[in-house]
C-alpha cells in the first residue's frame, strides 16, 4: 500500500451561494431535517422526478471527476459540482444538511465518508471518493464513486475495483419479495473473499422527498434488516470496504470519518427504484 502521510484537515473556503430561484430542501437553515413520515413505496410521479434529480447528481459528479489529478484541491471539485447543479436548477443536497458546509463530500484515502472539501491537495497515488446529491422537483438523487489520482498502487486499485463490483452484485440481488438483508449478505460475502472490512455503522438509506427517509440498508448481513423489498421502493446502496478494520474514528469537525487503523477505504453508491423484476438505477449520467 502507498506509504503516503495521513490526511489532515485543510482550510475551508467561504460558503458557496445558491441562486434564490432554486428551491431549497426544508432542512436548510435548520439544525436537522423534519423526520419523514411518508411511504417507502413512491408514486410514478415521484420516481420520474427522482430520475431527473439522479441524472443531474450523476452528471455533476462526472464533471467534478474530470478535474481529478495530482495538485487539484478538493475544494475545486466542490466548486465544479456546485456550479453544475445550480446551472441545472438543482440544489446541492449536502449544503446546509445538519450544518454540513459544502456541496459534496470528498473522502480521500483513509476517509470512509463525509469528508469536507477544503484546501487539501490531491497527491499522486491517492484515491478520492466524491459523494454528490442533487435536490430538484422536490426530491433527491444521491450517488458516489471512488477515483484514482495519478499512479495508484495495486492494492488500492483492486480495493476500488472490487468495491464497485460489490455494489453491482448488490444491485443484482434486489428483487421484490426478498428481505433487505440480502443486499448486505451479498456485499459481505464478496468482501470476505479478499479479507476486506465492511463498514457497519454507515449505511444505505431510503431516499425520496427526504434525503434520508429512515429506511436503513446495511452493507453486512444484518439479522435485523427484515423489511421486505417492494416495487416502487427507492433507496441507496453504498458499500464502504476497507483494507483493514471496519472500526472508525471521527474528526473534531463532527463529519469526517476515518478508519481506526488509518488504512484505505473505498465506496460506491447508486440511488435505485425497485421494479417488478429487480432494480432500476436512477443515478446514471
Amino acid at each position: 500500500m502507498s506509504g503516503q502521510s495521513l490526511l489532515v484537515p485543510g482550510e475551508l473556503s467561504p460558503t458557496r451561494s445558491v441562486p434564490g430561484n432554486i428551491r431549497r430542501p426544508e432542512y436548510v437553515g435548520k439544525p436537522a431535517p423534519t423526520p419523514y413520515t411518508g411511504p417507502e413505496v413512491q408514486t410514478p410521479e415521484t420516481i420520474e422526478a427522482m430520475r431527473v434529480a439522479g441524472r443531474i447528481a450523476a452528471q455533476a459528479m462526472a464533471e467534478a471527476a474530470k478535474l481529478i489529478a495530482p495538485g487539484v484541491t478538493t475544494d475545486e471539485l466542490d466548486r465544479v459540482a456546485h456550479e453544475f447543479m445550480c446551472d441545472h436548477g438543482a440544489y446541492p443536497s449536502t449544503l446546509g444538511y445538519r450544518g454540513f458546509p459544502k456541496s459534496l463530500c470528498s473522502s480521500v484515502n483513509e476517509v470512509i465518508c463525509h469528508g469536507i472539501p477544503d484546501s487539501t491537495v490531491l497527491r499522486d497515488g491517492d484515491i478520492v471518493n466524491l459523494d454528490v446529491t442533487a435536490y430538484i422537483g422536490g426530491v433527491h438523487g444521491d450517488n458516489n464513486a471512488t477515483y484514482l489520482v495519478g499512479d495508484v498502487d495495486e492494492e488500492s486499485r483492486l480495493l476500488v475495483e472490487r468495491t464497485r463490483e460489490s455494489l453491482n452484485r448488490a444491485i443484482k440481488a434486489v428483487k421484490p419479495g426478498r428481505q433487505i438483508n440480502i443486499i448486505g449478505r451479498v456485499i459481505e460475502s464478496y468482501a470476505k473473499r479478499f479479507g476486506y472490512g465492511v463498514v457497519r455503522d454507515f449505511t444505505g438509506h431510503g431516499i425520496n422527498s427526504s434525503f434520508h427517509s429512515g429506511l436503513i440498508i446495511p452493507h453486512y448481513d444484518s439479522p435485523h434488516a427484515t423489511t421486505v423489498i417492494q416495487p416502487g421502493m427507492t433507496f441507496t446502496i453504498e458499500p464502504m470496504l476497507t483494507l483493514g478494520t471496519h472500526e472508525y474514528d471521527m474528526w473534531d469537525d463532527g463529519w469526517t470519518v476515518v478508519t481506526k487503523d488509518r488504512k484505505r477505504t473505498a465506496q460506491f453508491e447508486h440511488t435505485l427504484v425497485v421494479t417488478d423484476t429487480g432494480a432500476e438505477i436512477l443515478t446514471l449520467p
Side-chain angles (χ1 to χ4, degrees), residues 142-163:
D142 185 3
N143 69 162
N144 76 54
T146 303
Y147 299 90
L148 310 180
V149 185
D151 185 17
V152 175
D153 68 89
E154 181 75 354
E155 186 179 37
S156 299
R157 188 189 65 76
L158 284 172
L159 173 69
V160 171
E161 180 182 300
R162 290 164 176 167
T163 305

Side-chain angles (χ1 to χ4, degrees), residues 18-36:
V18 177
N21 64 317
I22 292 178
R23 178 178 173 184
R24 272 73 169 152
E26 60 82 22
Y27 53 73
V28 174
K30 295 164 53 177
T34 302
Y36 179 72

Side-chain angles (χ1 to χ4, degrees), residues 153-196:
D153 68 89
E154 181 75 354
E155 186 179 37
S156 299
R157 188 189 65 76
L158 284 172
L159 173 69
V160 171
E161 180 182 300
R162 290 164 176 167
T163 305
R164 182 191 290 111
E165 176 63 15
S166 77
L167 172 60
N168 292 340
R169 289 173 180 237
I171 292 171
K172 289 176 183 174
V174 174
K175 305 284 184 190
R178 291 179 170 177
Q179 294 182 341
I180 289 290
N181 58 18
I182 186 66
I183 295 167
R185 188 176 308 139
V186 166
I187 292 167
E188 186 174 40
S189 63
Y190 180 71
K192 278 184 173 179
R193 292 192 202 175
F194 312 104
Y196 295 154

Side-chain angles (χ1 to χ4, degrees), residues 178-227:
R178 291 179 170 177
Q179 294 182 341
I180 289 290
N181 58 18
I182 186 66
I183 295 167
R185 188 176 308 139
V186 166
I187 292 167
E188 186 174 40
S189 63
Y190 180 71
K192 278 184 173 179
R193 292 192 202 175
F194 312 104
Y196 295 154
V198 180
V199 173
R200 300 167 78 90
D201 291 339
F202 300 89
T203 68
H205 53 89
I207 183 170
N208 38 65
S209 59
S210 173
F211 195 171
H212 299 86
S213 73
L215 177 66
I216 294 172
I217 312 295
H219 301 121
Y220 65 99
D221 187 4
S222 169
H224 306 294
T226 56
T227 299

